[in-house]
Amino acid sequence: MKPINLKEKHSLFNKQWHPHRIAVVDDMQVLLAKIKDEFVWHAHDQEDELFQVLKGTLYMKFRDRTEIVKEGEIIVVPKGVEHCPSTQNGEEVHVLLFERLSTSHTGNVLDKMTQTHYPKI
């Protein structure tokens, strides 16, 4: 039981779209990620997903709209909702993710960007 410094943990990796686990809370995991450009359109059929923007601006694309999530804000993507996180103008965005341990990185889609292991840092 020690405090976790999010900036320090983010400094430990550079790879984008590859979440790193910093904590587990019951059956939920807390992940940090660096993202840039566009991800994969996908949905999580059984799990909600929470994104908190720690640095930069996240553009959460849905099929009918795009929500802009600024530094210090969160967005919850409900289970079953297709979404595509992205950034603009080459900006690298730092996010904290909160999701069930069972959540698949790219949900119902298998892609070259899909990660199956989240290193613990």
Side-chain angles (χ1 to χ4, degrees):
M1 292 186 299
K2 294 189 181 250
I4 298 171
N5 184 303
L6 301 179
K7 286 184 182 180
E8 179 183 302
K9 292 293 185 181
H10 257 117
S11 74
L12 298 177
F13 65 96
N14 291 314
K15 192 171 183 182
Q16 295 162 349
W17 301 109
H18 190 211
H20 288 67
R21 183 179 295 151
I22 60 168
V24 174
V25 181
D26 292 327
D27 68 340
M28 305 293 285
Q29 58 188 340
V30 182
L31 305 166
L32 293 179
K34 295 179 179 180
I35 63 175
K36 184 177 176 183
D37 301 322
E38 189 167 287
F39 196 47
V40 178
W41 278 99
H42 67 286
H44 305 281
D45 293 334
Q46 302 300 318
E47 301 97 0
D48 297 333
E49 191 173 28
L50 180 145
F51 292 77
Q52 178 184 4
V53 177
L54 302 173
K55 177 184 171 189
T57 302
L58 170 67
Y59 294 81
M60 186 62 72
K61 297 180 182 181
F62 299 102
R63 289 297 183 185
D64 63 343
R65 70 188 188 287
T66 298
E67 293 292 341
I68 299 171
V69 189
K70 298 176 184 173
E71 195 169 305
E73 296 181 333
I74 67 169
I75 189 167
V76 175
V77 179
K79 64 179 83 53
V81 175
E82 195 174 19
H83 59 288
C84 180
S86 66
T87 70
Q88 290 187 351
N89 303 318
E91 178 183 31
E92 181 178 80
V93 175
H94 295 187
V95 295
L96 179 143
L97 302 155
F98 191 68
E99 60 191 29
R100 283 190 188 153
L101 287 165
S102 61
T103 304
S104 173
H105 187 228
T106 51
N108 55 3
V109 174
L110 187 57
D111 184 87
K112 66 181 179 180
M113 295 178 84
T114 301
Q115 301 297 318
T116 58
H117 172 70
Y118 302 143
K120 176 146 176 41
I121 56 171

